Amino acid sequence: MGQKVALTGNEAAAFAMRQIDPDVVAAYPITPQTEIVQHFSSFVHDGRVRTEFVTVESEHSAMSACIGSAAAGARTMTATCSQGLALMWEMLYIASAFRLPLVMPVVNRALSGPINIHCDHSDAMGARDSGWIQLYSESAQEVYDNLIQAVRIAEHAQVHLPVMVCQDGFVTSHGLENLEIEPDEAVRAFVGEYRPEYHLLDPERPITMGPLALQNAYFEARRQLAAAMHEAKPVILAVAREFEALTGRSYGFFEAYRMADAELVAVALNSTAGTLKEAVDELRRQGTRAGLLKPRVFRPFPWEEMADALTRPGIRAVAVLDRADTNSTLGGPLFNDVRAALFDAGRRPPVKNYIYGLGGRDVSFAELVSVFGDLRATARDGGTDTPVTYLGVQPRRSGELAAAGTRRR
Amino acid sequence: MKRKLNGPADRPGTAGPAVVGWQEMPRGCVILNPGNALEYQTGDWRSFRPVWDENLCIHCLRCWIFCPDDSIVVRDGTMVGIDYDHCKGCGICARECPPKVGAIEMQKESGA
């Protein structure tokens, strides 16, 4: 059984990486992920892992080195966020196309510009279609648990896809939390040894990776990758069951919080789900049947399960909260996927989108409660003519500032 | 004569129907059989062809050393000819052949 410790989200990620003890880590520091690399390099220096730690000059090189390492048959990890993930972009697609089981913590931070170091999900959402599995984590505990499970999911013979494990920059990465950790031996036994079916350093079985695949092969390779995403779904659940047997902590595609009889439902990723649980509890005390659905797995998108959960007859309205925008004029990426998932349902509730917290803008308890107030009106009036709301953005402060200036004088 | 473009299915790695179904393709488009570059005949890329004169050749094998496509055929230490299925016609062999020997001459391909 686990032991209680206090760790930040970044420390929890580095701690899990130490226990996983990958063969190779090639990484480059970037705020707010820096501490993961820093703590892990201490473990390397102190001889607490056997990992070959490769310092590189950029994230593009970090991902390139990881691809080379994984292609050579080594269990390989890295970590990044924001601009670093953006710089990795072309290599992300190559990692998944080569079907390399890399595991990478991503500490969600806004993409420039304007330049900003705080939390939103625009970085990971930019990698949404890259063929990487994406797991999202509400807390340091989930960061730790998801990372350990990610190794097993990534390396599963039916999957063989890279996995990113996301957490909110600063909110989770730098917030100290109590969590339960497992003994080193238990984690090592759980992740097991990585034995790839084939790799580049096998002299008995020479292979070619990354061949040119033109009109007569590229499409088949991409179709196969799409199939691997389908295969990942049952594997994610099977690994979660095994993890629960070990730790007692239960995981699925999403967490359904007070959903059994919920009428008004919010959907949100990562740390905001924690604040939403408080909001749901408060609304329940006031007699509103509020609920929360927190996706853990965003890629592959568990659309069938989500449609089942959100079209239960009692549900009257749904709010999807997005910490990123698609700039399509039709809201955020989570909203679009959730809404599309419900399209074929015979009976479906109205779904509204709230874009919030861009660039680390705090989202308050009161604002989240107000979302449920909106949903109540939506449920009453049926449908909505403004599907997308920007929550907590300031339209105009000129009058207020002028007034404050007058007072000062 | 118009140069024939790659025909369907006779050139792995080029246009034409799928070489393998997605359910049978090795994971990640990996190629599992080594040495398969032989199957890819690059000879039809050529616009100039090296023509070798056996009577002038001194078998110094400079062409064999420099050929980037392993298209100089050597048997028992002796140059015996050119593999036109793979020679791309780069002309390096003709350039490296010692000037006083001049056993390789580049000639325009008839279809080029």
Side-chain angles (χ1 to χ4, degrees):
Chain A
M1 264 296 106
Q3 178 198 346
K4 284 270 186 191
V5 293
L7 295 174
T8 66
N10 276 344
E11 287 169 347
F15 197 92
M17 286 171 74
R18 180 184 67 68
Q19 294 188 312
I20 294 163
D21 196 1
D23 301 314
V24 175
V25 167
Y28 191 85
I30 177 167
T31 301
Q33 155 270 28
T34 302
E35 284 180 330
I36 298 179
V37 181
Q38 180 194 323
H39 290 305
F40 189 77
S41 60
S42 302
F43 297 142
V44 174
H45 175 265
D46 297 343
R48 303 194 64 195
V49 287
R50 292 164 302 174
T51 306
E52 179 75 31
F53 185 75
V54 188
T55 53
V56 284
E57 75 280 17
S58 77
E59 287 85 357
H60 190 280
S61 302
M63 186 46 63
S64 301
C66 286
I67 288 169
S69 156
R75 179 177 277 161
T76 307
M77 296 182 76
T78 182
T80 195
C81 67
S82 184
Q83 306 305 111
L85 187 61
L87 189 54
M88 284 180 180
W89 200 76
E90 66 166 342
M91 304 314 293
L92 294 178
Y93 280 70
I94 292 167
S96 59
F98 282 18
R99 307 287 301 279
L100 301 174
L102 302 172
V103 174
M104 171 165 74
V106 171
V107 183
N108 295 124
R109 164 188 150 183
L111 283 176
S112 294
I115 190 165
N116 179 294
I117 57 166
H118 291 283
C119 176
D120 73 33
H121 301 158
S122 52
D123 53 0
M125 289 301 165
R128 179 186 73 163
D129 302 340
S130 64
W132 283 59
I133 290 172
Q134 292 193 339
L135 305 180
Y136 284 80
S137 322
E138 179 189 330
S139 60
Q141 180 77 69
E142 293 188 5
V143 170
Y144 175 80
D145 293 349
N146 279 337
L147 270 172
I148 293 167
Q149 291 177 70
V151 176
R152 289 284 303 280
I153 297 165
E155 292 173 3
H156 193 282
Q158 301 303 314
V159 180
H160 254 267
L161 285 173
V163 182
M164 51 183 88
V165 174
C166 300
Q167 60 170 306
D168 279 349
F170 291 111
V171 182
T172 307
S173 69
H174 286 61
L176 197 63
E177 290 180 57
N178 287 322
L179 66 148
E180 215 169 270
I181 51 159
E182 304 306 312
D184 289 2
E185 319 79 68
V187 174
R188 265 165 219 177
F190 185 82
V191 297
E193 201 176 318
Y194 174 46
R195 287 202 188 83
E197 199 181 331
Y198 37 73
H199 58 84
L200 283 179
L201 290 188
D202 184 355
E204 301 300 316
R205 195 177 184 187
I207 59 161
T208 298
M209 271 196 185
L212 184 69
L214 298 179
Q215 297 96 320
N216 62 358
Y218 180 89
F219 200 178
E220 280 67 34
R222 301 307 298 182
R223 177 65 186 86
Q224 192 191 62
L225 193 147
M229 272 291 176
H230 279 273
E231 298 283 350
K233 290 178 68 177
V235 170
I236 288 168
L237 295 181
V239 170
R241 279 193 296 275
E242 226 181 289
F243 189 79
E244 185 178 3
L246 176 73
T247 66
R249 295 187 294 277
S250 154
Y251 286 92
F253 292 137
F254 45 76
E255 181 185 346
Y257 184 76
R258 304 192 81 162
M259 282 285 285
D261 62 344
E263 293 179 347
L264 309 177
V265 176
V267 180
L269 299 167
N270 277 7
S271 68
T272 302
T275 322
L276 274 166
K277 286 174 183 170
E278 293 292 319
V280 165
D281 290 348
E282 174 59 25
L283 286 155
R284 290 265 173 178
R285 277 191 289 274
Q286 295 171 10
T288 300
R289 287 183 180 177
L292 165 72
L293 191 142
K294 178 190 77 181
R296 167 186 178 235
V297 181
F298 182 63
R299 285 292 177 273
F301 190 68
W303 59 277
E304 289 147 309
E305 295 78 3
M306 214 169 275
D308 283 349
L310 292 175
T311 53
R312 195 181 41 72
I315 295 175
R316 298 175 61 209
V318 174
V320 180
L321 284 84
D322 263 296
R323 207 161 191 165
D325 198 352
T326 61
N327 300 311
S328 72
T329 74
L330 190 58
L334 184 60
F335 170 65
N336 278 280
D337 281 1
V338 169
R339 215 164 177 235
L342 301 190
F343 187 81
D344 288 327
R347 186 211 150 276
R348 56 178 185 265
V351 185
K352 291 192 70 177
N353 188 209
Y354 294 83
I355 291 176
Y356 74 99
L358 300 189
R361 171 67 49 83
D362 195 25
V363 58
S364 69
F365 176 78
E367 279 168 338
L368 294 177
V369 168
S370 81
V371 167
F372 286 98
D374 268 16
L375 280 191
R376 199 176 294 122
T378 303
R380 187 187 55 229
D381 305 339
T384 170
D385 50 3
T386 50
V388 185
T389 304
Y390 290 81
L391 185 68
V393 72
Q394 197 66 38
R396 196 174 283 119
R397 286 197 71 174
S398 51
E400 201 181 320
L401 291 173
T406 310
R407 274 202 300 278
R408 267 204 298 278
R409 269 195 295 273
Chain B
M1 189 182 99
K2 204 162 183 272
R3 186 172 169 274
K4 187 175 162 283
L5 292 175
N6 294 315
D10 62 346
R11 294 283 185 274
T14 60
V19 285
V20 61
W22 67 266
Q23 292 174 334
E24 302 136 350
M25 177 182 270
R27 188 179 62 219
C29 204
V30 161
I31 296 176
L32 295 173
N33 51 324
N36 60 81
L38 267 182
E39 294 164 23
Y40 190 1
Q41 303 199 344
T42 49
D44 62 358
W45 298 11
R46 211 169 40 237
S47 48
F48 285 88
R49 118 188 332 244
V51 177
W52 173 60
D53 187 335
E54 194 176 353
N55 298 319
L56 297 176
C57 182
I58 59 168
H59 303 283
C60 65
L61 301 187
R62 287 176 66 96
C63 54
W64 175 76
I65 291 168
F66 282 98
C67 174
D69 270 302
D70 199 18
S71 292
I72 304 295
V73 186
V74 172
R75 244 175 247 129
D76 301 324
T78 304
M79 158 77 161
V80 294
I82 291 165
D83 169 9
Y84 288 113
D85 285 345
H86 296 96
C87 167
K88 294 171 187 159
C90 70
I92 290 174
C93 55
R95 188 186 169 92
E96 294 301 327
C97 184
K100 61 184 174 187
V101 177
I104 300 176
E105 191 192 353
M106 297 305 289
Q107 292 178 4
K108 206 167 167 44
E109 285 284 355
S110 56

